[in-house]
Amino acid sequence: MPARPSVSGLALHNLRYAVRMYPNGTSTATVAEVGERAMIERIRARLPGTPPWVSVGIGDDAAVIEPARNRAEVVTTDSLVEGVHFDRRYVPPAAIGHKALAANLSDLAAMGAEPRAAVLSLVLPGDFPVADLDAILDGWLALAARYDVVLIGGNIARSPGPLVIDVTAFGSIKPRRVMRRGGARAGERVYVSGTVGTAYAGFLACRHRASPGGERSVVPNGDLAACEARFLTPEPRVRLGLLLARNRVASSCMDLSDGLADAVHQVAGASGVGMTIDGGPLPIPDAARRWFVEHGSVDPIDAAVSGGEDYELLFTVPPRRRRALAAVMKLAGDVPCTHIGMVTTGRDVLLRRDGGALPLPQGFAHFR
């Protein structure tokens, strides 16, 4: 965080508000009452020591980090906007912080990069509770600690409307191991990690429970709680991405932040190929299938390919690397990888099901 914040109405360092507490010890102050500088110090006090490759950390106008030897730097950024990416009625603050970093770590995983550092920018409504800010940091810092991500800076600003969290993350990789979207070739198999449709079912379930009269539904053939957890606290496939890159298994790769269908279209377009996805083997959990049918009145396959935020990896594998993939799957442990289709000649992107093939639906897009 910068040592000299920009001039604004929040720049007053009014610490007396920071000690006003509920009986249980939780602060009742808002971020406007505490002020920008006090919030920066509050964040700074929670951080562990910086590694030696961070030459200049929090406290100057910018951070300085030393590149890893013989490795390329990979940079990605993502934003979460209240009302677009989350709803505070049913997404707790810690989950907001977790997902803000997870989205970036998923991008690094899709490139095969090892996470190193991140900057965090918070655009906060003036009446946002300090206790909720602390909880956002709890979620963010807990995930950062798991992957040795160092917070090296950021910014705090006032929002006249929604809460916005922006993260830029840095990773490293040997240049020849970088995975991209544009390497798929005809005759290769298409795989997806984990499950699909899980987070979308969790989103629908969380939203349902937050609606007037909504209650938690029981799904006999699966664990709906796992779907909700995938939506609230997605698990970026960092280890799998590193293994795919190190073993040069994948010819192309992309994460599923905006859904399976979006990723398939993106990889096919970047590679100049077609793809045919088989609906039958799609790894859709039973709980998600039941929810889509009984509560969403939507077809499970359509929902699974179009829904987003699973943060799994879609990747293609040449025939000569299938044995290497088997070895990677053993090392990846409990993250299954399912063969869901083939790369084809031409440019058609199809979904095969019920004995026929139709154009694969488009995934989520902000301005479609």
Side-chain angles (χ1 to χ4, degrees):
M1 305 296 168
R4 296 183 297 279
S6 57
V7 177
S8 72
L10 290 182
L12 299 177
H13 190 179
N14 200 339
L15 287 174
R16 64 185 178 197
Y17 288 105
V19 297
R20 195 175 71 217
M21 307 290 259
Y22 285 119
N24 65 2
T26 304
S27 172
T28 66
T30 66
V31 295
E33 292 172 329
V34 170
E36 184 177 359
R37 291 178 181 172
M39 284 188 290
I40 292 170
E41 290 305 315
R42 191 182 189 92
I43 295 170
R44 191 174 183 175
R46 298 186 58 179
L47 302 181
T50 56
W53 49 265
V54 178
S55 302
V56 179
I58 295 173
D60 276 83
D61 291 316
V64 178
I65 60 176
E66 298 174 6
R69 187 174 180 179
N70 298 323
R71 296 170 75 92
E73 294 294 308
V74 182
V75 183
T76 183
T77 190
D78 215 331
S79 299
L80 295 189
V81 181
E82 183 180 2
V84 177
H85 299 96
F86 63 89
D87 188 324
R88 281 195 280 156
R89 292 178 303 161
Y90 50 84
V91 180
I96 297 171
H98 175 104
K99 185 175 287 189
L101 180 57
N104 286 263
L105 296 183
S106 185
D107 285 336
L108 293 178
M111 303 293 289
E114 183 175 2
R116 297 187 80 208
V119 295
L120 170 65
S121 292
L122 300 163
V123 187
L124 305 168
D127 61 354
F128 193 75
V130 170
D132 286 356
L133 174 60
D134 286 340
I136 287 175
L137 292 169
D138 288 339
W140 199 99
L141 291 171
L143 185 60
R146 286 175 51 199
Y147 290 103
D148 295 324
V149 175
V150 181
L151 181 60
I152 58 173
N155 188 56
I156 292 178
R158 181 171 190 162
S159 170
L163 167 67
V164 180
I165 302 178
D166 185 86
V167 176
T168 297
F170 305 83
S172 67
I173 188 173
K174 290 186 177 181
R176 293 185 179 181
R177 293 180 179 174
V178 174
M179 296 188 296
R180 301 180 63 183
R181 301 178 184 180
R185 298 293 180 264
E188 297 178 349
R189 288 185 176 184
V190 182
Y191 289 83
V192 69
S193 67
T195 60
V196 293
T198 315
Y200 186 47
F203 158 69
L204 294 176
C206 289
R207 187 178 66 176
H208 173 75
R209 286 195 291 106
S211 64
E215 297 179 356
R216 185 181 182 87
S217 299
V218 176
V219 182
N221 293 334
D223 184 5
L224 188 60
C227 296
E228 295 182 4
R230 174 66 64 82
F231 166 64
L232 294 171
T233 54
E235 184 63 40
R237 300 304 188 188
V238 173
R239 177 167 171 76
L240 177 60
L242 290 172
L243 289 170
L244 290 172
R246 288 173 183 173
N247 292 276
R248 301 184 182 180
V249 169
S251 59
S252 67
C253 189
M254 181 177 172
D255 85 317
L256 304 190
S257 56
D258 290 329
L260 176 64
D262 174 74
V264 171
H265 280 285
Q266 296 265 22
V267 172
S271 301
V273 296
M275 286 189 182
T276 298
I277 302 301
D278 293 322
L282 289 179
I284 309 170
D286 289 341
R289 289 181 184 272
R290 291 291 298 270
W291 181 267
F292 292 140
V293 172
E294 296 180 3
H295 299 275
S297 299
V298 294
D299 178 83
I301 293 177
D302 288 343
V305 300
S306 300
E309 298 198 74
D310 282 315
Y311 293 100
E312 297 291 353
L313 297 181
L314 176 85
F315 57 97
T316 56
V317 179
R320 66 182 186 279
R321 302 304 294 162
R322 289 175 191 167
R323 287 187 179 180
L325 173 61
V328 163
M329 290 174 63
K330 289 182 180 180
L331 293 172
D334 59 352
V335 182
C337 296
T338 305
H339 172 210
I340 61 169
M342 296 295 297
V343 183
T344 60
T345 58
R347 302 298 293 267
D348 292 334
V349 180
L350 303 174
L351 175 64
R352 181 185 291 128
R353 56 176 303 183
D354 303 324
L358 295 172
L360 182 73
Q362 297 290 329
F364 173 81
H366 283 279
F367 299 104
R368 184 175 294 134

